[in-house]
Amino acid sequence: MTEDYSAELKVAVEAARFAGEFLRRSFDAPKTVNAELAHDLKLQLDKDTQLLITERLRAAFPSYSVLGEEGETGQMTADAVWIVDPIDGTVNYFYGIPLFCVSIALQVKGKLVLGCVYDPMRDECYTAIAGSVARLNGLELKVSSRRRMAEAVVFIGHGRHDGSGEDGIRRFAHISAQVRKIRILGTAALTICYIAAGRFDAYIENRINLWDFAAARVILECAGGRLEFLPDGESSHTGSVIAWNGALPIHAALQLPE
Ligand code: LIP
């Protein structure tokens, strides 16, 4: 039996839309950079947006904790933990590329039970409760039925942080030779939702964090797709992800020649 998480989903959607509207209004304004890393940026807006979301989620469900890209609120041992990425696609956002989203998932006793991903620039709100259907602005979603790599549109990232750069580039070249197009959007959550909507067919990336894909995972699985996560050993929250429409021979396609 599906648990009824509709009250939680309603609050997640309200929080994601509120935060998304704040980000859309701030899109063209100058932005404060809190930290500049080799391949990433941390904005003050990441923090401000997580705070807005946390306040709304905690006002509605005070006993639920929040694990977010910008830190934790409450006990991580709580039965119910929201998993939040306030801006998935921070680098896009900073450079003025209108591809980013707000991502909110709920995990209950270690199991993901709902997801909401909101793209404020297109006013697209993806939602799902595990065990039910996935929706985009209320309309039911299904993954593509493409079965051949030759007709697939695929996101493939390659390792930058972990010394696997060379292998990553070989894998990138190997996949790009097989598919119709490679597209790298710069936002994991939106890309996985695009697979749920049949716009993309697969997504492969290393060194991804739980908050980057948790909400989109529920949406994709409810739309008929699949996602595999392999923790990298350093943390149970970071690892590699393969997401696909469930029909492509993605594992065979990833095998590198000897
Ligand atoms: C980003 C991901 C993106 C990945 C970046 C980063 P952030 O999340 O969604 O796809 O390539 O390394 O993790 O930091 O913008 O929330």
Side-chain angles (χ1 to χ4, degrees):
M1 197 186 111
T2 310
E3 295 271 0
D4 184 9
Y5 290 108
S6 47
E8 283 88 343
L9 183 61
K10 187 165 176 282
V11 169
V13 169
E14 281 164 6
R17 283 188 170 276
F18 186 84
E21 179 53 24
F22 169 68
L23 290 171
R24 202 183 56 74
R25 277 190 278 110
S26 312
F27 188 61
D28 294 319
K31 296 166 187 80
T32 306
V33 177
N34 288 347
E36 203 163 330
L37 316 170
H39 297 292
D40 215 350
L41 290 171
K42 293 278 175 202
L43 303 181
Q44 182 58 35
L45 272 169
D46 283 303
K47 280 186 177 300
D48 296 345
T49 310
Q50 181 161 320
L51 188 62
L52 289 181
I53 295 169
T54 301
E55 280 169 359
R56 269 159 185 74
L57 298 177
R58 297 270 288 177
F61 298 98
S63 65
Y64 294 15
S65 299
V66 177
L67 165 67
E69 178 160 16
E70 302 308 316
E72 299 171 359
T73 306
Q75 296 297 325
M76 291 305 108
T77 48
D79 275 357
V81 181
W82 297 103
I83 300 169
V84 173
D85 193 347
I87 312 177
D88 185 59
T90 303
V91 172
N92 282 353
Y93 188 82
F94 181 75
Y95 280 78
I97 301 167
L99 282 168
F100 63 91
C101 60
V102 178
S103 173
I104 303 177
L106 178 64
Q107 187 168 270
V108 176
K109 296 185 180 155
K111 189 174 170 293
L112 290 169
V113 298
L114 69 80
C116 170
V117 171
Y118 182 55
D119 169 356
M121 302 310 267
R122 289 179 53 85
D123 189 26
E124 290 194 330
C125 188
Y126 299 83
T127 53
I129 294 177
S132 179
V133 297
R135 297 187 188 276
L136 167 53
N137 291 349
L139 298 177
E140 194 174 333
L141 288 181
K142 278 269 165 265
V143 291
S144 74
S145 55
R146 286 181 276 273
R147 309 183 76 82
R148 295 187 308 118
M149 293 305 290
E151 53 185 358
V153 173
V154 173
F155 176 125
I156 178 158
H158 59 81
R160 295 161 307 205
H161 318 267
D162 53 358
S164 69
E166 228 167 80
D167 278 354
I169 288 167
R170 273 183 72 216
R171 196 180 57 163
F172 183 93
H174 181 62
I175 287 286
S176 36
Q178 298 174 61
V179 300
R180 174 154 288 146
K181 285 289 182 203
I182 297 286
R183 292 284 182 261
I184 302 179
L185 297 194
T187 148
L190 216 48
T191 304
I192 297 168
C193 288
Y194 277 21
I195 305 176
R199 297 172 181 173
F200 261 69
D201 303 300
Y203 163 82
I204 301 132
E205 194 166 18
N206 293 339
R207 301 285 296 191
I208 282 295
N209 294 301
L210 181 60
W211 43 79
D212 294 321
F213 71 86
R217 175 179 203 159
V218 181
I219 294 157
L220 175 65
E221 289 176 347
C222 290
R226 302 215 18 221
L227 186 146
E228 288 174 358
F229 171 62
L230 191 64
D232 62 11
E234 279 173 40
S235 144
S236 58
H237 293 154
T238 310
S240 50
V241 167
I242 302 175
W244 75 107
N245 65 357
L248 289 175
I250 193 71
H251 296 99
L254 278 166
Q255 287 298 319
L256 286 173
E258 289 301 314

